[in-house]
Amino acid sequence: MRHGFACVIAAAVLVAAPVAAAAQALPRTSDGRPNLQGIWQVLNTAAWDIQDHQARLGEPAGQGVVESNELP
């Protein structure tokens, strides 16, 4: 039982390593900058407001993603 669990963990690490490396390599535009085109999905409360905000009708309260909660 112990060796089976260790084999599963080792296999998961070996499978996840190339996936993580591939996720870090961004495609480049012709001028060498990262190509950020595509579909972006927000998975936090910044979908409603990027600053700290209170709950409103249909929107949950949440912590923002802006440092010091101040826009330049």
Side-chain angles (χ1 to χ4, degrees):
M1 185 71 151
R2 248 181 177 199
H3 296 289
F5 183 69
C7 289
V8 170
I9 296 297
V13 169
L14 292 174
V15 169
V19 173
Q24 292 177 356
L26 291 174
R28 300 286 173 164
T29 61
S30 59
D31 61 355
R33 295 182 176 166
N35 184 355
L36 301 177
Q37 295 180 1
I39 299 172
W40 291 81
Q41 181 181 6
V42 177
L43 299 175
N44 59 23
T45 58
W48 291 277
D49 197 343
I50 60 172
Q51 291 180 300
D52 294 344
H53 52 280
Q54 296 178 348
R56 293 178 226 142
L57 184 61
E59 299 176 9
Q63 196 172 26
V65 293
V66 178
E67 271 186 43
S68 72
N69 202 39
E70 210 172 295
L71 293 175

